[in-house]
Amino acid sequence: MLKQIALEDIVAIAQKAGDAIMQIYQKDFKIAYKDDKSPLTEADLKANHIICQALLKRYPNIPIMSEENKQTEYDVRKNWEYYWCIDPIDGTKEFIRKNDEFTVNIALIHQNTPVLGVVYAPAIDEMYHAKKGKGAFKNNQKLPLQTNPNPKEKLFVVASKSHLSPETQEFIDNLDTKKVEQVSKGSSLKLCMVAEGKADIYPRLAPTMEWDTAAADAIVREAGKMTYQFNNHQSMVYNKENLLNPWFIVK
């Protein structure tokens, strides 16, 4: 199945969604709030429609999981071999604040592992993509773009701009290195920074959902890094009964 997926098609779908998002981003827009108090804009819904319709047209036999769709019962989806995992706008809070740090996330999951990922940041025109066995790329440059030669001397750490928990900060403060340079970033760009080599580590000791990480996780893995569960140091898994991610560390 993976061989039949044209990565350039998924990149094009993300770009089309990004174009629609930017049209709304550049004007005043209304904000609604979901039951969990998280924000929702017309851009989330527009991008979701574009992505889901395009994927259904090209790959009608692959199920879709999106943050903005009603979730399929676990008894059904646990039998999915492949499925799309989508966040039409990851970083809606960043979108609302107009700080440019939001992304379109499209992942293909095989059983419980991300095997294809596209992360597009339309406001800064950064496109990350990866396919299992084919490498990871940012704007067509192979990742990682840089490495840290002396992690014991200095670590570059990226953390959430909107959700920095006390537990995360404590973890950062106790890292085994002489100096820590800490950077805040929104959305799944944090995982991409580790894949790229701009950051050595991204600890997230706070809640996220599977669609927040799946696409960027595919990029992390193809860049030779990994997203580890904090408690057991096993790689992250997807399509769990509870779609809430455990705490994790990307390095």
Side-chain angles (χ1 to χ4, degrees):
M1 175 67 78
L2 184 59
K3 288 181 180 177
Q4 297 165 14
I5 307 293
L7 184 54
E8 58 269 24
D9 283 356
I10 313 307
V11 167
I13 292 168
Q15 287 174 320
K16 186 177 179 183
D19 290 346
I21 288 166
M22 291 307 296
Q23 289 178 7
I24 297 168
Y25 188 58
Q26 288 157 358
K27 64 178 187 179
D28 291 330
F29 49 81
K30 293 178 181 175
I31 304 165
Y33 288 88
K34 294 184 273 192
D35 292 343
D36 63 359
K37 304 293 190 288
S38 61
L40 179 71
T41 72
E42 59 187 292
D44 294 89
L45 299 177
K46 178 75 172 175
N48 188 57
H49 178 77
I50 288 168
I51 295 166
C52 292
Q53 290 302 307
L55 291 175
L56 282 169
K57 184 177 179 182
R58 285 173 174 77
Y59 307 103
N61 297 322
I62 302 179
I64 294 174
M65 176 192 290
S66 169
E67 179 179 11
E68 306 309 341
N69 292 352
K70 187 176 186 297
Q71 300 311 322
T72 303
E73 293 291 333
Y74 181 65
D75 283 349
V76 175
R77 62 181 173 80
K78 70 181 181 182
N79 298 311
W80 292 349
E81 184 180 7
Y82 284 91
Y83 71 98
W84 299 107
C85 186
I86 299 160
D87 193 345
I89 300 182
D90 182 37
T92 300
K93 288 182 178 178
E94 318 310 329
F95 177 85
I96 291 167
R97 291 176 184 143
K98 297 203 172 186
N99 70 11
D100 295 352
E101 294 178 10
F102 55 89
T103 58
V104 177
N105 295 356
I106 306 175
L108 183 70
I109 310 294
H110 178 225
Q111 292 168 343
N112 62 7
T113 303
V115 292
L116 180 152
V118 173
V119 174
Y120 180 45
I124 53 177
D125 197 28
E126 290 186 353
M127 174 67 75
Y128 296 86
H129 60 77
K131 188 174 182 180
K132 188 175 182 181
K134 302 293 184 183
F137 297 84
K138 176 189 179 183
N139 296 341
N140 295 316
Q141 290 184 286
K142 197 170 192 310
L143 301 182
L145 297 178
Q146 60 194 76
T147 55
N148 180 358
N150 295 302
K152 287 288 186 184
E153 294 295 318
K154 185 176 183 180
L155 278 176
F156 296 86
V157 182
V158 64
S160 175
K161 182 160 279 187
S162 299
H163 307 279
L164 180 59
S165 69
E167 293 88 350
T168 303
Q169 189 61 58
E170 182 182 356
F171 176 86
I172 293 169
D173 293 341
N174 287 296
L175 284 168
D176 182 21
T177 186
K178 289 181 181 176
K179 187 177 180 183
V180 170
E181 184 167 321
Q182 187 170 336
V183 180
S184 295
K185 201 80 170 178
S187 73
S188 58
L189 288 169
K190 294 183 287 295
L191 290 96
C192 293
M193 284 179 69
V194 177
E196 190 175 342
K198 277 187 177 178
D200 298 306
I201 187 168
Y202 163 38
R204 182 59 179 252
L205 281 60
T208 56
M209 301 300 289
E210 290 189 6
W211 43 73
D212 293 322
T213 58
D217 195 356
I219 293 158
V220 164
R221 295 175 193 221
E222 277 301 298
K225 316 292 178 74
M226 183 52 75
T227 305
Y228 296 101
Q229 299 176 52
F230 179 75
N231 288 333
N232 60 18
H233 213 66
Q234 299 293 310
S235 56
M236 286 265 277
V237 296
Y238 293 83
N239 202 17
K240 306 183 304 298
E241 184 168 4
N242 182 349
L243 296 170
L244 187 70
N245 283 328
W247 289 359
F248 63 83
I249 298 169
V250 186
K251 61 181 180 176

